[in-house]
Amino acid sequence: AQRVTQPEKLLSVFKGAPVELKCNYSYSGSPELFWYVQYSRQRLQLLLRHISRESIKGFTADLNKGETSFHLKKPFAQEEDSAMYYCALEAPGNQFYFGTGTSLTVIP
Amino acid sequence: DAGVIQSPRHEVTEMGQEVTLRCKPISGHNSLFWYRQTMMRGLELLIYFNNNVPIDDSGMPEDRFSAKMPNASFSTLKIQPSEPRDSAVYFCASSFGGTAVQPQHFGDGTRLSIL
């Protein structure tokens, strides 16, 4: 069963516009949620995790247990935000599940 | 498509033993990646192959680790001898294309515990 769903394979926004990358998960317990990012010609890297409740590079993500969502948001997109973004879930027992990724393009 | 298939899902073994993790990428994908996930370091890229050739193995921790891709549909990651600090979840991912921005499809991972 698909644990993590990223409904958008491709997403394009204009520079300065708000951006939201959607992530929905399927898990009945209390998972940990992450966002990973992969910039062009770089390795996949952790962007943020919900437990830290932090803002990295202007991005935030709030865990909504009612909607089982962990959408990634940024109020003003920058060109350097263009990358591939993966949502991931960690269930108890160190079980990890990745979404299929969303390719974000920020248009100058 | 069944997606990226990894085996075994779980492996528990004693230190000093040889461990072999297996990965079958998605048919048609020509890039394959091995990652290690730990609480301390997060997700680390160990090695990646393009068209069965290792392109970047700089993430391989030490000589005890080796990876092979004898054909387009199979890869192994071997640890010999294993140590307790190797305990982690190991992911295999595949993609089409040699550039980093192509979406990677992840397997379910192998949870490795070295006692």
Side-chain angles (χ1 to χ4, degrees):
Chain A
Q2 184 66 35
R3 296 282 189 183
V4 180
T5 304
Q6 293 179 249
E8 303 140 328
K9 282 189 172 18
L10 302 170
L11 182 63
S12 295
V13 300
F14 285 100
K15 177 182 173 181
V19 61
E20 180 180 71
L21 290 86
K22 292 185 169 53
C23 173
N24 289 90
Y25 65 91
S26 172
Y27 191 77
S28 58
S30 298
E32 279 202 48
L33 278 300
F34 305 80
W35 276 99
Y36 285 86
V37 61
Q38 189 165 29
Y39 301 102
S40 179
R41 289 183 290 278
Q42 293 186 31
R43 298 177 177 186
L44 198 67
Q45 57 188 283
L46 178 66
L47 181 60
L48 54 81
R49 54 192 299 175
H50 93 272
I51 198 170
S52 301
R53 302 187 67 82
E54 58 198 345
S55 174
I56 303 293
K57 300 185 179 182
F59 284 96
T60 58
D62 291 320
L63 178 61
N64 186 324
K65 291 187 178 181
E67 296 182 357
T68 58
S69 67
F70 189 57
H71 303 326
L72 184 68
K73 301 177 184 178
K74 185 169 182 176
F76 308 103
Q78 303 298 314
E79 289 179 67
E80 55 265 30
D81 297 329
S82 295
M84 182 70 70
Y85 292 81
Y86 295 91
C87 184
L89 175 154
E90 179 186 5
N94 211 21
Q95 297 294 315
F96 279 86
Y97 304 91
F98 284 86
T100 50
T102 298
S103 176
L104 173 66
T105 301
V106 179
I107 304 165
Chain B
D1 196 318
V4 175
I5 300 173
Q6 290 186 244
S7 64
R9 290 297 309 277
H10 305 278
E11 174 88 20
V12 180
T13 191
E14 294 184 345
M15 65 177 293
Q17 298 296 308
E18 178 180 290
V19 173
T20 300
L21 311 181
R22 297 173 176 80
C23 176
K24 177 176 164 46
I26 291 174
S27 177
H29 284 186
N30 62 352
S31 292
L32 183 141
F33 307 79
W34 280 103
Y35 292 92
R36 178 172 66 177
Q37 168 86 31
T38 61
M39 289 297 293
M40 293 294 291
R41 293 171 174 258
L43 195 69
E44 301 173 278
L45 176 65
L46 301 177
I47 185 172
Y48 88 88
F49 295 85
N50 186 244
N51 294 321
N52 311 340
V53 175
I55 303 300
D56 181 359
D57 65 353
S58 58
M60 295 286 262
E62 47 197 278
D63 292 344
R64 298 184 296 106
F65 285 69
S66 62
K68 293 182 180 178
M69 192 163 186
N71 56 63
S73 59
F74 184 66
S75 177
T76 59
L77 177 68
K78 188 174 291 188
I79 309 172
Q80 167 63 20
S82 57
E83 296 182 3
R85 60 192 168 120
D86 301 330
S87 298
V89 182
Y90 291 81
F91 287 99
C92 176
S94 71
S95 71
F96 178 75
T99 59
V101 292
Q102 296 300 318
Q104 296 182 33
H105 297 253
F106 286 81
D108 288 339
T110 294
R111 185 169 53 163
L112 178 63
S113 296
I114 308 296
L115 307 177

